[in-house]
Amino acid sequence: MSHPYLCPNCKTNKTRFNIIEQKPRAVKMDPSTGEITDEFSMDHLDPIHLPYNGPARKIQCGVCGLIEDEHSFIKRAEYAQKKDNHLIH
């Protein structure tokens, strides 16, 4: 479902955004070299490895560069719409 966005930082941009799809990889790394030694599927994680629970996407404002959760851009647009509707009535 699509929603209008409004940048919560510059508060002017309603049209230009970068949508960043987040695709987590569960890995185990060598502590000395940083080399990936093992990779897990999200269905079969190590018992002490927590699954990713962050947002599926982040949004970057194409004007000021702010990167935030999509929810922040949607809520800012809803707030501005309510404010504009209130001023009209």
Side-chain angles (χ1 to χ4, degrees):
M1 187 169 162
S2 59
H3 299 278
Y5 292 161
L6 175 59
C7 178
N9 185 52
C10 65
K11 299 175 184 79
T12 56
N13 180 28
K14 296 180 181 181
T15 59
R16 302 194 185 281
F17 302 96
N18 296 312
I19 297 173
I20 304 162
E21 300 289 339
Q22 305 219 111
K23 297 182 178 159
R25 286 176 54 201
V27 299
K28 183 175 182 181
M29 299 173 77
D30 181 293
S32 301
T33 65
E35 184 178 327
I36 294 174
T37 59
D38 207 355
E39 189 163 352
F40 308 97
S41 76
M42 290 299 171
D43 298 331
H44 298 94
L45 291 175
D46 206 75
I48 60 170
H49 196 121
L50 292 174
Y52 177 75
N53 64 355
R57 63 173 59 172
K58 293 233 180 201
I59 306 299
Q60 181 180 32
C61 175
V63 175
C64 74
L66 175 75
I67 299 174
E68 284 288 334
D69 291 351
E70 181 181 39
H71 182 75
S72 299
F73 286 83
I74 292 170
K75 286 298 179 187
R76 185 65 194 178
E78 289 173 355
Y79 174 76
Q81 229 170 15
K82 286 179 186 174
K83 188 176 173 185
D84 290 345
N85 288 340
H86 182 62
L87 292 174
I88 292 170
H89 297 291

mmCIF file of all heavy atoms in Angstrom, residues 12-47:
data_model
loop_
_atom_site.group_PDB
_atom_site.id
_atom_site.type_symbol
_atom_site.label_atom_id
_atom_site.label_comp_id
_atom_site.label_asym_id
_atom_site.label_seq_id
_atom_site.Cartn_x
_atom_site.Cartn_y
_atom_site.Cartn_z
ATOM 1 N N THR A 12 9.829 20.110 3.481
ATOM 2 C CA THR A 12 9.351 20.664 2.210
ATOM 3 C C THR A 12 9.258 19.595 1.126
ATOM 4 O O THR A 12 8.429 19.702 0.236
ATOM 5 C CB THR A 12 10.273 21.783 1.703
ATOM 6 O OG1 THR A 12 11.606 21.277 1.591
ATOM 7 C CG2 THR A 12 10.265 22.967 2.651
ATOM 8 N N ASN A 13 10.120 18.594 1.186
ATOM 9 C CA ASN A 13 10.170 17.588 0.129
ATOM 10 C C ASN A 13 9.020 16.593 0.255
ATOM 11 O O ASN A 13 8.891 15.901 1.260
ATOM 12 C CB ASN A 13 11.504 16.844 0.167
ATOM 13 C CG ASN A 13 11.589 15.781 -0.911
ATOM 14 O OD1 ASN A 13 10.971 15.890 -1.959
ATOM 15 N ND2 ASN A 13 12.349 14.742 -0.634
ATOM 16 N N LYS A 14 8.206 16.535 -0.791
ATOM 17 C CA LYS A 14 7.100 15.579 -0.852
ATOM 18 C C LYS A 14 7.216 14.663 -2.067
ATOM 19 O O LYS A 14 6.360 13.823 -2.277
ATOM 20 C CB LYS A 14 5.768 16.327 -0.951
ATOM 21 C CG LYS A 14 5.437 17.175 0.247
ATOM 22 C CD LYS A 14 4.101 17.866 0.035
ATOM 23 C CE LYS A 14 3.765 18.750 1.229
ATOM 24 N NZ LYS A 14 2.448 19.409 1.034
ATOM 25 N N THR A 15 8.270 14.816 -2.868
ATOM 26 C CA THR A 15 8.314 14.095 -4.142
ATOM 27 C C THR A 15 9.599 13.327 -4.440
ATOM 28 O O THR A 15 9.566 12.405 -5.250
ATOM 29 C CB THR A 15 8.094 15.076 -5.307
ATOM 30 O OG1 THR A 15 9.112 16.082 -5.269
ATOM 31 C CG2 THR A 15 6.727 15.737 -5.208
ATOM 32 N N ARG A 16 10.725 13.660 -3.849
ATOM 33 C CA ARG A 16 11.991 13.030 -4.236
ATOM 34 C C ARG A 16 12.604 12.254 -3.083
ATOM 35 O O ARG A 16 13.050 12.826 -2.089
ATOM 36 C CB ARG A 16 12.970 14.088 -4.730
ATOM 37 C CG ARG A 16 12.393 14.866 -5.893
ATOM 38 C CD ARG A 16 13.443 15.662 -6.615
ATOM 39 N NE ARG A 16 12.854 16.480 -7.654
ATOM 40 C CZ ARG A 16 12.476 16.030 -8.848
ATOM 41 N NH1 ARG A 16 12.620 14.756 -9.131
ATOM 42 N NH2 ARG A 16 11.950 16.844 -9.740
ATOM 43 N N PHE A 17 12.626 10.919 -3.258
ATOM 44 C CA PHE A 17 13.107 10.035 -2.190
ATOM 45 C C PHE A 17 13.880 8.864 -2.765
ATOM 46 O O PHE A 17 13.668 8.471 -3.914
ATOM 47 C CB PHE A 17 11.923 9.484 -1.384
ATOM 48 C CG PHE A 17 11.070 10.550 -0.778
ATOM 49 C CD1 PHE A 17 9.925 10.986 -1.411
ATOM 50 C CD2 PHE A 17 11.433 11.150 0.414
ATOM 51 C CE1 PHE A 17 9.140 11.996 -0.872
ATOM 52 C CE2 PHE A 17 10.663 12.161 0.960
ATOM 53 C CZ PHE A 17 9.514 12.580 0.317
ATOM 54 N N ASN A 18 14.760 8.301 -1.972
ATOM 55 C CA ASN A 18 15.433 7.041 -2.274
ATOM 56 C C ASN A 18 14.871 5.997 -1.319
ATOM 57 O O ASN A 18 14.904 6.189 -0.100
ATOM 58 C CB ASN A 18 16.951 7.165 -2.087
ATOM 59 C CG ASN A 18 17.555 8.155 -3.052
ATOM 60 O OD1 ASN A 18 17.281 8.119 -4.237
ATOM 61 N ND2 ASN A 18 18.367 9.059 -2.535
ATOM 62 N N ILE A 19 14.357 4.911 -1.874
ATOM 63 C CA ILE A 19 13.834 3.815 -1.054
ATOM 64 C C ILE A 19 14.940 2.780 -0.931
ATOM 65 O O ILE A 19 15.457 2.272 -1.930
ATOM 66 C CB ILE A 19 12.572 3.203 -1.689
ATOM 67 C CG1 ILE A 19 11.478 4.268 -1.750
ATOM 68 C CG2 ILE A 19 12.116 1.982 -0.904
ATOM 69 C CD1 ILE A 19 10.233 3.839 -2.500
ATOM 70 N N ILE A 20 15.313 2.481 0.298
ATOM 71 C CA ILE A 20 16.413 1.555 0.573
ATOM 72 C C ILE A 20 15.817 0.262 1.128
ATOM 73 O O ILE A 20 15.321 0.223 2.253
ATOM 74 C CB ILE A 20 17.395 2.173 1.596
ATOM 75 C CG1 ILE A 20 17.899 3.518 1.083
ATOM 76 C CG2 ILE A 20 18.534 1.204 1.891
ATOM 77 C CD1 ILE A 20 18.503 4.403 2.157
ATOM 78 N N GLU A 21 15.847 -0.801 0.322
ATOM 79 C CA GLU A 21 15.339 -2.105 0.756
ATOM 80 C C GLU A 21 16.404 -2.767 1.630
ATOM 81 O O GLU A 21 17.570 -2.855 1.239
ATOM 82 C CB GLU A 21 15.037 -2.998 -0.450
ATOM 83 C CG GLU A 21 14.011 -2.432 -1.399
ATOM 84 C CD GLU A 21 12.595 -2.425 -0.840
ATOM 85 O OE1 GLU A 21 12.306 -3.197 0.103
ATOM 86 O OE2 GLU A 21 11.780 -1.633 -1.335
ATOM 87 N N GLN A 22 15.997 -3.212 2.799
ATOM 88 C CA GLN A 22 16.939 -3.839 3.725
ATOM 89 C C GLN A 22 16.804 -5.359 3.627
ATOM 90 O O GLN A 22 15.737 -5.904 3.853
ATOM 91 C CB GLN A 22 16.659 -3.362 5.144
ATOM 92 C CG GLN A 22 16.691 -1.861 5.253
ATOM 93 C CD GLN A 22 17.331 -1.394 6.517
ATOM 94 O OE1 GLN A 22 18.405 -0.832 6.467
ATOM 95 N NE2 GLN A 22 16.699 -1.614 7.641
ATOM 96 N N LYS A 23 17.910 -6.006 3.289
ATOM 97 C CA LYS A 23 17.945 -7.463 3.168
ATOM 98 C C LYS A 23 19.047 -7.991 4.088
ATOM 99 O O LYS A 23 20.210 -8.069 3.688
ATOM 100 C CB LYS A 23 18.190 -7.865 1.726
ATOM 101 C CG LYS A 23 17.047 -7.404 0.844
ATOM 102 C CD LYS A 23 17.225 -7.820 -0.567
ATOM 103 C CE LYS A 23 16.018 -7.329 -1.254
ATOM 104 N NZ LYS A 23 15.775 -7.082 -2.448
ATOM 105 N N PRO A 24 18.676 -8.312 5.316
ATOM 106 C CA PRO A 24 19.708 -8.745 6.273
ATOM 107 C C PRO A 24 20.298 -10.111 5.924
ATOM 108 O O PRO A 24 19.612 -10.974 5.374
ATOM 109 C CB PRO A 24 18.944 -8.795 7.595
ATOM 110 C CG PRO A 24 17.526 -8.990 7.217
ATOM 111 C CD PRO A 24 17.346 -8.310 5.908
ATOM 112 N N ARG A 25 21.582 -10.268 6.244
ATOM 113 C CA ARG A 25 22.280 -11.551 6.128
ATOM 114 C C ARG A 25 22.768 -11.921 7.515
ATOM 115 O O ARG A 25 23.479 -11.138 8.145
ATOM 116 C CB ARG A 25 23.492 -11.432 5.205
ATOM 117 C CG ARG A 25 23.168 -11.328 3.760
ATOM 118 C CD ARG A 25 24.418 -11.121 2.909
ATOM 119 N NE ARG A 25 25.446 -12.123 3.113
ATOM 120 C CZ ARG A 25 26.727 -11.940 2.807
ATOM 121 N NH1 ARG A 25 27.138 -10.794 2.314
ATOM 122 N NH2 ARG A 25 27.607 -12.909 3.019
ATOM 123 N N ALA A 26 22.394 -13.092 7.969
ATOM 124 C CA ALA A 26 22.877 -13.583 9.269
ATOM 125 C C ALA A 26 24.206 -14.289 9.031
ATOM 126 O O ALA A 26 24.261 -15.285 8.317
ATOM 127 C CB ALA A 26 21.858 -14.519 9.888
ATOM 128 N N VAL A 27 25.278 -13.752 9.619
ATOM 129 C CA VAL A 27 26.615 -14.307 9.399
ATOM 130 C C VAL A 27 27.355 -14.478 10.719
ATOM 131 O O VAL A 27 27.028 -13.853 11.724
ATOM 132 C CB VAL A 27 27.450 -13.411 8.458
ATOM 133 C CG1 VAL A 27 26.799 -13.286 7.094
ATOM 134 C CG2 VAL A 27 27.692 -12.047 9.062
ATOM 135 N N LYS A 28 28.358 -15.301 10.669
ATOM 136 C CA LYS A 28 29.306 -15.448 11.776
ATOM 137 C C LYS A 28 30.660 -15.037 11.208
ATOM 138 O O LYS A 28 31.027 -15.449 10.103
ATOM 139 C CB LYS A 28 29.349 -16.896 12.266
ATOM 140 C CG LYS A 28 30.245 -17.100 13.457
ATOM 141 C CD LYS A 28 30.154 -18.529 13.971
ATOM 142 C CE LYS A 28 31.020 -18.706 15.189
ATOM 143 N NZ LYS A 28 30.958 -20.090 15.690
ATOM 144 N N MET A 29 31.379 -14.190 11.965
ATOM 145 C CA MET A 29 32.638 -13.654 11.465
ATOM 146 C C MET A 29 33.809 -14.085 12.334
ATOM 147 O O MET A 29 33.665 -14.283 13.536
ATOM 148 C CB MET A 29 32.581 -12.125 11.437
ATOM 149 C CG MET A 29 31.507 -11.583 10.527
ATOM 150 S SD MET A 29 31.322 -9.801 10.649
ATOM 151 C CE MET A 29 32.718 -9.246 9.711
ATOM 152 N N ASP A 30 34.964 -14.200 11.719
ATOM 153 C CA ASP A 30 36.198 -14.463 12.457
ATOM 154 C C ASP A 30 36.546 -13.174 13.201
ATOM 155 O O ASP A 30 36.658 -12.112 12.574
ATOM 156 C CB ASP A 30 37.308 -14.838 11.477
ATOM 157 C CG ASP A 30 38.617 -15.144 12.182
ATOM 158 O OD1 ASP A 30 39.207 -14.196 12.758
ATOM 159 O OD2 ASP A 30 39.054 -16.299 12.143
ATOM 160 N N PRO A 31 36.719 -13.235 14.533
ATOM 161 C CA PRO A 31 36.974 -12.014 15.293
ATOM 162 C C PRO A 31 38.315 -11.347 14.980
ATOM 163 O O PRO A 31 38.479 -10.145 15.195
ATOM 164 C CB PRO A 31 36.919 -12.473 16.746
ATOM 165 C CG PRO A 31 37.165 -13.935 16.717
ATOM 166 C CD PRO A 31 36.665 -14.419 15.385
ATOM 167 N N SER A 32 39.261 -12.089 14.458
ATOM 168 C CA SER A 32 40.579 -11.516 14.154
ATOM 169 C C SER A 32 40.639 -10.859 12.793
ATOM 170 O O SER A 32 41.223 -9.789 12.630
ATOM 171 C CB SER A 32 41.651 -12.606 14.209
ATOM 172 O OG SER A 32 41.675 -13.193 15.476
ATOM 173 N N THR A 33 40.028 -11.512 11.795
ATOM 174 C CA THR A 33 40.162 -11.027 10.418
ATOM 175 C C THR A 33 38.913 -10.322 9.901
ATOM 176 O O THR A 33 38.987 -9.582 8.930
ATOM 177 C CB THR A 33 40.468 -12.199 9.469
ATOM 178 O OG1 THR A 33 39.335 -13.086 9.451
ATOM 179 C CG2 THR A 33 41.718 -12.944 9.892
ATOM 180 N N GLY A 34 37.776 -10.588 10.504
ATOM 181 C CA GLY A 34 36.519 -10.037 10.016
ATOM 182 C C GLY A 34 35.953 -10.821 8.845
ATOM 183 O O GLY A 34 34.933 -10.462 8.278
ATOM 184 N N GLU A 35 36.608 -11.914 8.497
ATOM 185 C CA GLU A 35 36.148 -12.758 7.393
ATOM 186 C C GLU A 35 34.879 -13.511 7.808
ATOM 187 O O GLU A 35 34.765 -13.972 8.948
ATOM 188 C CB GLU A 35 37.250 -13.753 7.021
ATOM 189 C CG GLU A 35 36.916 -14.619 5.832
ATOM 190 C CD GLU A 35 38.059 -15.553 5.472
ATOM 191 O OE1 GLU A 35 39.235 -15.169 5.656
ATOM 192 O OE2 GLU A 35 37.766 -16.671 5.028
ATOM 193 N N ILE A 36 33.932 -13.638 6.891
ATOM 194 C CA ILE A 36 32.710 -14.394 7.171
ATOM 195 C C ILE A 36 33.046 -15.872 7.138
ATOM 196 O O ILE A 36 33.563 -16.380 6.136
ATOM 197 C CB ILE A 36 31.609 -14.052 6.149
ATOM 198 C CG1 ILE A 36 31.186 -12.593 6.316
ATOM 199 C CG2 ILE A 36 30.411 -14.988 6.303
ATOM 200 C CD1 ILE A 36 30.212 -12.090 5.277
ATOM 201 N N THR A 37 32.774 -16.547 8.255
ATOM 202 C CA THR A 37 33.089 -17.972 8.352
ATOM 203 C C THR A 37 31.857 -18.848 8.192
ATOM 204 O O THR A 37 31.976 -20.030 7.896
ATOM 205 C CB THR A 37 33.751 -18.296 9.708
ATOM 206 O OG1 THR A 37 32.859 -17.931 10.756
ATOM 207 C CG2 THR A 37 35.068 -17.566 9.861
ATOM 208 N N ASP A 38 30.685 -18.287 8.405
ATOM 209 C CA ASP A 38 29.453 -19.057 8.283
ATOM 210 C C ASP A 38 28.299 -18.110 7.977
ATOM 211 O O ASP A 38 28.320 -16.949 8.378
ATOM 212 C CB ASP A 38 29.171 -19.805 9.589
ATOM 213 C CG ASP A 38 28.368 -21.079 9.399
ATOM 214 O OD1 ASP A 38 27.941 -21.349 8.257
ATOM 215 O OD2 ASP A 38 28.164 -21.800 10.387
ATOM 216 N N GLU A 39 27.313 -18.600 7.253
ATOM 217 C CA GLU A 39 26.117 -17.822 6.957
ATOM 218 C C GLU A 39 24.912 -18.681 7.285
ATOM 219 O O GLU A 39 24.893 -19.880 7.020
ATOM 220 C CB GLU A 39 26.106 -17.400 5.491
ATOM 221 C CG GLU A 39 25.021 -16.413 5.183
ATOM 222 C CD GLU A 39 25.250 -15.671 3.868
ATOM 223 O OE1 GLU A 39 26.326 -15.813 3.267
ATOM 224 O OE2 GLU A 39 24.329 -14.939 3.482
ATOM 225 N N PHE A 40 23.914 -18.058 7.908
ATOM 226 C CA PHE A 40 22.723 -18.773 8.350
ATOM 227 C C PHE A 40 21.503 -18.274 7.595
ATOM 228 O O PHE A 40 21.420 -17.097 7.248
ATOM 229 C CB PHE A 40 22.474 -18.542 9.854
ATOM 230 C CG PHE A 40 23.655 -18.830 10.715
ATOM 231 C CD1 PHE A 40 24.492 -17.799 11.126
ATOM 232 C CD2 PHE A 40 23.948 -20.116 11.129
ATOM 233 C CE1 PHE A 40 25.587 -18.038 11.931
ATOM 234 C CE2 PHE A 40 25.047 -20.371 11.939
ATOM 235 C CZ PHE A 40 25.868 -19.334 12.341
ATOM 236 N N SER A 41 20.529 -19.167 7.406
ATOM 237 C CA SER A 41 19.253 -18.694 6.875
ATOM 238 C C SER A 41 18.465 -18.146 8.053
ATOM 239 O O SER A 41 18.695 -18.512 9.206
ATOM 240 C CB SER A 41 18.486 -19.834 6.201
ATOM 241 O OG SER A 41 17.902 -20.685 7.163
ATOM 242 N N MET A 42 17.527 -17.261 7.793
ATOM 243 C CA MET A 42 16.738 -16.669 8.871
ATOM 244 C C MET A 42 15.867 -17.718 9.571
ATOM 245 O O MET A 42 15.444 -17.522 10.697
ATOM 246 C CB MET A 42 15.869 -15.527 8.345
ATOM 247 C CG MET A 42 16.665 -14.315 7.940
ATOM 248 S SD MET A 42 17.570 -13.646 9.337
ATOM 249 C CE MET A 42 18.575 -12.444 8.543
ATOM 250 N N ASP A 43 15.641 -18.843 8.901
ATOM 251 C CA ASP A 43 14.845 -19.930 9.493
ATOM 252 C C ASP A 43 15.678 -20.840 10.395
ATOM 253 O O ASP A 43 15.136 -21.532 11.249
ATOM 254 C CB ASP A 43 14.205 -20.780 8.399
ATOM 255 C CG ASP A 43 13.242 -19.995 7.549
ATOM 256 O OD1 ASP A 43 12.645 -19.030 8.063
ATOM 257 O OD2 ASP A 43 13.093 -20.343 6.356
ATOM 258 N N HIS A 44 16.977 -20.847 10.186
ATOM 259 C CA HIS A 44 17.853 -21.748 10.945
ATOM 260 C C HIS A 44 19.034 -20.984 11.531
ATOM 261 O O HIS A 44 20.183 -21.181 11.127
ATOM 262 C CB HIS A 44 18.355 -22.875 10.037
ATOM 263 C CG HIS A 44 17.264 -23.728 9.498
ATOM 264 N ND1 HIS A 44 16.680 -23.499 8.280
ATOM 265 C CD2 HIS A 44 16.625 -24.798 10.032
ATOM 266 C CE1 HIS A 44 15.735 -24.397 8.069
ATOM 267 N NE2 HIS A 44 15.674 -25.189 9.114
ATOM 268 N N LEU A 45 18.741 -20.115 12.474
ATOM 269 C CA LEU A 45 19.805 -19.332 13.111
ATOM 270 C C LEU A 45 20.452 -20.122 14.233
ATOM 271 O O LEU A 45 19.857 -21.039 14.805
ATOM 272 C CB LEU A 45 19.236 -18.025 13.675
ATOM 273 C CG LEU A 45 18.784 -16.992 12.653
ATOM 274 C CD1 LEU A 45 18.143 -15.808 13.357
ATOM 275 C CD2 LEU A 45 19.954 -16.522 11.807
ATOM 276 N N ASP A 46 21.660 -19.748 14.562
ATOM 277 C CA ASP A 46 22.371 -20.279 15.712
ATOM 278 C C ASP A 46 21.542 -19.969 16.968
ATOM 279 O O ASP A 46 20.875 -18.935 17.015
ATOM 280 C CB ASP A 46 23.724 -19.550 15.769
ATOM 281 C CG ASP A 46 24.789 -20.333 16.453
ATOM 282 O OD1 ASP A 46 25.302 -21.286 15.851
ATOM 283 O OD2 ASP A 46 25.110 -19.954 17.598
ATOM 284 N N PRO A 47 21.561 -20.819 17.999
ATOM 285 C CA PRO A 47 20.743 -20.550 19.196
ATOM 286 C C PRO A 47 20.988 -19.183 19.855
ATOM 287 O O PRO A 47 20.077 -18.625 20.447
ATOM 288 C CB PRO A 47 21.128 -21.673 20.148
ATOM 289 C CG PRO A 47 21.652 -22.766 19.287
ATOM 290 C CD PRO A 47 22.260 -22.090 18.089
#
